Amino acid sequence: MGKITKRAVDALQAEPDRDVFVWDAELRGFGVRAKPSGVKTFLIQYRNMEGRTRRLVLGQYGVLTPESARHLARKKLTAVAEGADPAADRQGVRVGMSVKEVCDWYLEQAEAGRLLGRNRRPIKASTLKSDRSRIETHIKPLVGVRLVSRLTLHDIEGMQADIAAGKSARGRKKGRGGRSTGGPGVASRAISTLRALLGHATRVGVISKNPAEGVRQLAVGSRKRRLSEDEIRRLGRVMREAAAEGEHPTGLAAIRLMLLTGFRRMEVLGLKRPWFSRSDHCIRFPDTKSGEQVRALGEAAMDCIEAQPTRGGSVFVFPADWGDGHFIGVVRVLDRVCRKAKLGGVTPHVLRHTFASVAGDLGFSELTIAGLLGHSAHGVTQRYVHLDTALVVAADRVSMEITKMLGSEEPIGKPSNIEYVALQREDAAPQPVEDFNFSSLTIDFTHRQR
């Protein structure tokens, strides 16, 4: 047959038991096929770089004219001559992984410890728990059915806007499990999770590229809520009243320790007795958000730890009411106490921020406060020989100050054996750690493991 034209395609007759092909005489590989049903489609046939014969349907006659089909066929065949395989590319798009499938792959691989996260270590279980929640609550419902190969920055930033607007919000579920209300912070963290998991999939070749690379995340303001001195006093008074009225003593003690140390919620709740050393004024965490750490403790904080009764041989300072785990109900206790004290917006992170703020009020440097909170610990300890001692000094001063504000009726404990000029007079102006006379300090931290 000669050139494929409208007249030639109209004249093509279908056969009841087989496909009928007609090939163009001018553009080799370009043809038209009539199915037994009578449907006619334009296609190309070629050999790829591996020598395998491929066919690629261009479109149906009626949707495409012979002229437009010819133009498209020429482009595809030119790509073949340059080494492309358009049939394989289309097949890849058709059977490519969806966002849901990549999310499931990520969770499976990460839970098996085959993906490395921060500090080139397996991704933590707590991180995976948060990731799973964002995936199941926001990512899958909004873009889970989309093919990753077709996902664009516009789609991802649109998902972010939908989460911020509350389109993926849900009410509280039956049993355990919180509710999701959306908002800019939730949206930004969901995008971080999506970009990270797609990055892992790209790095190991599961997908060809990360469509979330370059996405712009919503700006989220830093949380600045802290308890004022008056609020700390009010909280201490209500905590004593709540204890007398039968509030959970373990929850109240955990709240107190968070205030006296600046530890994160799970660092307090998961605290084990073997990690605590009174003689060395520290907790040796085998693992934290920033890896293995030694965290300094003040006398008041150590008294709080030692005051906790053991229960059934549990290794936890704050054991669960039943079972072998640790206490988990501190947020509910904190909510009840703060509601009674008429304090709004108080979370465990606010207690941590309050500790840091009191340290700042006392004149301690940002470097010292960062060490107390477990931030940038490696850079800190490498720069100052006496910083460990300085952290113990700071932790003792801050915990003592907060204890005074709480107004506890219980004895604070035996006097600190850490003495410095700023503590000799209660009305002395606070001094930064850099001004202390380190020659009078005798605590030795050379035992600490690196």
Side-chain angles (χ1 to χ4, degrees):
M1 182 177 179
K3 182 177 179 180
I4 293 178
T5 62
K6 183 177 185 305
R7 179 178 296 180
V9 176
D10 289 338
L12 181 61
Q13 298 294 319
E15 296 188 11
D17 55 352
R18 69 183 183 94
D19 293 347
V20 178
F21 293 87
V22 173
W23 301 100
D24 190 85
E26 293 185 4
L27 182 59
R28 184 173 179 179
F30 173 50
V32 61
R33 175 179 61 190
K35 301 288 286 184
S37 61
V39 174
K40 300 173 184 179
T41 54
F42 296 105
L43 72 157
I44 60 172
Q45 181 170 298
Y46 62 93
R47 289 184 181 273
N48 64 12
M49 294 292 289
E50 298 174 346
R52 301 176 64 182
T53 299
R54 297 278 199 179
R55 283 180 183 167
L56 175 67
V57 173
L58 301 175
Q60 188 173 319
Y61 176 52
V63 176
L64 292 177
T65 65
E67 290 75 17
S68 60
R70 179 185 299 278
H71 177 70
L72 183 57
R74 182 171 282 110
K75 289 176 60 178
K76 297 292 186 183
L77 291 170
T78 299
V80 170
E82 295 173 348
D85 190 350
D89 293 342
R90 178 172 293 184
Q91 179 70 9
V93 170
R94 186 163 56 248
V95 301
M97 295 184 74
S98 66
V99 173
K100 176 183 179 300
E101 291 170 331
V102 176
C103 289
D104 291 341
W105 169 87
Y106 163 74
L107 292 173
E108 178 185 354
Q109 295 293 310
E111 288 171 351
R114 290 192 285 268
L115 296 178
L116 301 183
R118 186 184 297 230
N119 298 326
R120 302 297 188 269
R121 296 178 179 178
I123 299 172
K124 295 179 180 293
S126 58
T127 301
L128 284 175
K129 181 179 179 181
S130 298
D131 288 348
R132 181 180 291 279
S133 176
R134 293 169 193 145
I135 287 169
E136 300 296 340
T137 305
H138 306 292
I139 297 174
K140 282 185 179 180
L142 293 175
V143 296
V145 298
R146 298 290 303 276
L147 293 176
V148 174
S149 58
R150 293 295 181 91
L151 206 61
T152 67
L153 283 179
H154 179 74
D155 297 327
I156 296 172
E157 291 181 356
M159 180 189 78
Q160 180 177 229
D162 288 342
I163 297 173
K167 290 188 177 180
S168 55
R170 70 180 185 197
R172 186 174 294 278
K173 301 184 296 184
K174 291 183 178 179
R176 291 188 178 183
R179 61 183 180 184
S180 172
T181 57
V186 174
S188 182
R189 289 188 288 273
I191 293 300
S192 293
T193 295
L194 179 62
R195 180 170 55 196
L197 70 88
L198 292 174
H200 282 295
T202 303
R203 182 174 52 81
V204 299
V206 173
I207 57 178
S208 60
K209 66 176 183 179
N210 184 352
E213 199 64 45
V215 66
R216 292 188 174 183
Q217 293 177 241
L218 285 168
V220 180
S222 59
R223 292 173 286 186
K224 299 180 180 179
R225 174 77 166 103
R226 62 161 288 185
L227 296 179
S228 66
E229 181 175 343
D230 177 68
E231 288 178 321
I232 295 175
R233 295 184 187 281
R234 198 188 324 164
L235 179 63
R237 175 176 54 79
V238 172
M239 286 175 64
R240 291 191 295 275
E241 293 174 358
E245 294 170 358
E247 181 57 84
H248 204 299
T250 304
L252 293 174
I255 293 170
R256 181 180 180 84
L257 189 62
M258 281 189 277
L259 264 174
L260 296 179
T261 61
F263 288 0
R264 299 178 179 92
R265 175 174 61 93
M266 291 310 300
E267 289 172 348
V268 167
L269 297 182
L271 182 61
K272 295 184 178 181
R273 294 183 183 276
W275 302 348
F276 167 58
S277 173
R278 175 120 203 178
S279 60
D280 295 329
H281 294 255
C282 71
I283 295 288
R284 294 185 182 88
F285 286 108
D287 191 23
T288 68
K289 188 175 181 179
S290 303
E292 181 180 0
Q293 284 187 347
V294 176
R295 208 79 66 76
L297 291 174
E299 290 285 340
M302 293 189 290
D303 289 341
C304 180
I305 292 173
E306 290 186 334
Q308 303 313 305
T310 57
R311 183 176 301 157
S314 175
V315 296
F316 291 104
V317 174
F318 301 104
D321 293 329
W322 57 84
D324 299 327
H326 59 72
F327 184 72
I328 62 173
V330 69
V331 174
R332 293 188 180 91
V333 176
L334 181 61
D335 287 345
R336 288 194 292 267
V337 170
C338 289
R339 190 161 49 247
K340 185 175 180 181
K342 295 181 172 56
L343 298 174
V346 180
T347 66
H349 183 81
V350 169
L351 304 183
R352 178 172 165 85
H353 189 200
T354 298
F355 175 89
S357 299
V358 171
D361 294 342
L362 293 173
F364 292 105
S365 68
E366 291 184 6
L367 183 66
T368 300
I369 297 171
L372 291 174
L373 296 177
H375 292 166
S376 305
H378 293 294
V380 166
T381 54
Q382 289 171 0
R383 290 174 60 187
Y384 291 90
V385 175
H386 294 291
L387 186 62
D388 290 325
T389 302
L391 288 179
V392 173
V393 170
D396 194 65
R397 177 73 184 275
V398 177
S399 64
M400 182 182 297
E401 187 69 19
I402 294 175
T403 298
K404 290 179 181 178
M405 295 181 193
L406 287 172
S408 175
E409 296 176 354
E410 301 174 356
I412 294 176
K414 57 185 179 182
S416 171
N417 59 359
I418 305 170
E419 297 182 1
Y420 47 90
V421 175
L423 288 181
Q424 291 178 353
R425 294 173 50 225
E426 286 190 11
D427 59 347
Q431 300 182 38
V433 174
E434 287 79 1
D435 295 336
F436 294 155
N437 180 8
F438 287 103
S439 62
S440 65
L441 300 171
T442 59
I443 298 175
D444 182 10
F445 268 70
T446 57
H447 67 278
R448 190 186 59 203
Q449 298 180 355
R450 286 289 180 198

